[in-house]
Amino acid sequence: MNKSATIDFATASNIPVQTQALLQLVPGEARDSLLGIHEVLRHELPQGRLAIYEAGGGSSSFLPMDVLGRSHVTVVDIDEDQVRNNTYADDAILGDVQTYRFAPESFDVVICYNVIEHLRDVEAALLNFRDALKRGGMILIGAPNPRSLSGVVTKYSPHWFHVWFYRNIRGIKTAGLPGEAPFPTFFHPLVTLPKLEAFAAAHGLETIYRREVESPRYPEMRQRKPLFAALVDAGAMLLNALLPGGTDVRRGDYHIILRKR
């Protein structure tokens, strides 16, 4: 597949739909963190051609275009519609990241963005990612914080409520249709960031980037539904006042980069 030429991700307006995922984020902490991750990847990745595995990559990517432009991208996704809709991967494979295995040391980077919260066996998936990495290769994980306000609501509310929220608050009218988010969420214990870091350290992976951020749903709501957002913010502020100092229940997402030792 022909790849796009190098593009300045911060200013480009003609990026294909499947690679606009970052630009579509409302300005806020999550977007700022992803831009920081782009700089880490540019600094840490080797020069020349790259092999990238997007685990559960579906039909969109958060990688910078200059990295995608020199990469052979392999996507594995369990959803047939997501695989069918993908246009940027060189290889799009219908499979389960918890069981799908590649030859050892096949990839420079593994991307697992908004995926591990949907897996029943996160441990198996993480070990598969580690084994597939070259020495010095990196795993980028983006996931929701199960202990945040949005994480608790997501964990204990029915799936129909998630679909309602996507359609009526986020304005995504296709939400819940085949191949479209939101997908069922399980929140395996390893999705909790301290447990994830401890597991990674015990299995030959060191943390080189870690940031907890306000969920992008908050700035989205403030733009689209300001009155509803004001109520949610007021509730979050009340919870923050009742919880130990420094807690912010709006920090609903995190980004972490793990490097294989």
Side-chain angles (χ1 to χ4, degrees):
M1 170 181 292
N2 293 329
K3 297 286 184 68
S4 301
T6 300
I7 298 174
D8 182 345
F9 216 166
T11 60
S13 60
N14 60 342
I15 298 174
V17 172
Q18 284 76 13
T19 54
Q20 285 187 9
L22 175 59
L23 292 179
Q24 290 170 352
L25 277 179
V26 174
E29 293 182 2
R31 191 175 189 276
D32 291 344
S33 180
L34 282 166
L35 289 170
I37 286 169
H38 285 186
E39 293 307 311
V40 172
L41 293 176
R42 291 183 179 113
H43 182 265
E44 298 291 334
L45 286 171
Q47 298 299 310
R49 293 288 293 173
L50 299 170
I52 293 179
Y53 168 24
E54 292 208 21
S59 58
S60 62
S61 175
F62 284 90
L63 284 172
M65 285 300 296
D66 54 315
V67 172
L68 281 175
R70 61 186 181 96
S71 302
H72 183 103
V73 179
T74 301
V75 163
V76 176
D77 200 292
I78 200 169
D79 189 290
E80 187 174 354
D81 292 288
Q82 290 276 291
V83 171
R84 185 184 301 112
N85 292 337
N86 187 289
T87 63
Y88 68 88
D90 297 281
D91 298 306
I93 300 169
L94 182 64
D96 187 338
V97 301
Q98 299 164 106
T99 57
Y100 200 95
R101 297 181 63 84
F102 289 95
E105 301 193 4
S106 295
F107 298 100
D108 298 287
V109 184
V110 176
I111 309 295
C112 187
Y113 203 91
N114 290 342
V115 172
I116 63 172
E117 67 271 23
H118 303 294
L119 304 181
R120 294 186 182 276
D121 194 349
V122 175
E123 180 175 337
L126 290 174
L127 292 177
N128 286 343
F129 301 160
R130 180 206 60 184
D131 294 345
L133 273 182
K134 300 175 184 177
R135 187 76 60 182
M138 294 176 286
I139 305 173
L140 165 61
I141 296 174
N145 174 9
R147 297 176 178 175
S148 67
L149 176 58
S150 56
V152 170
V153 171
T154 299
K155 183 173 182 178
Y156 294 105
S157 60
H159 185 66
W160 66 258
F161 175 79
H162 306 173
V163 175
W164 176 88
F165 183 88
Y166 270 59
R167 290 184 179 180
N168 295 279
I169 304 303
R170 299 193 64 196
I172 303 173
K173 300 306 180 185
T174 58
L177 297 179
E180 299 288 342
F183 303 106
T185 304
F186 301 112
F187 279 131
H188 184 282
L190 283 181
V191 177
T192 305
L193 185 53
K195 294 182 179 180
L196 174 61
E197 285 193 284
F199 179 85
H203 292 84
L205 298 165
E206 61 176 336
T207 300
I208 64 170
Y209 181 96
R210 178 190 192 275
R211 184 174 175 186
E212 297 180 73
V213 297
E214 181 184 68
S215 168
R217 303 293 83 81
Y218 287 96
E220 279 183 6
M221 287 190 293
R222 292 174 193 133
Q223 282 192 2
R224 289 187 48 80
K225 303 285 185 178
L227 292 179
F228 182 82
L231 290 173
V232 174
D233 276 326
M237 290 175 64
L238 177 61
L239 287 172
N240 290 342
L242 297 173
L243 293 170
T247 299
D248 188 345
V249 297
R250 287 171 293 196
R251 295 195 177 279
D253 285 45
Y254 63 82
H255 300 143
I256 185 169
I257 300 178
L258 306 169
R259 180 161 53 198
K260 185 175 180 178
R261 292 194 288 264

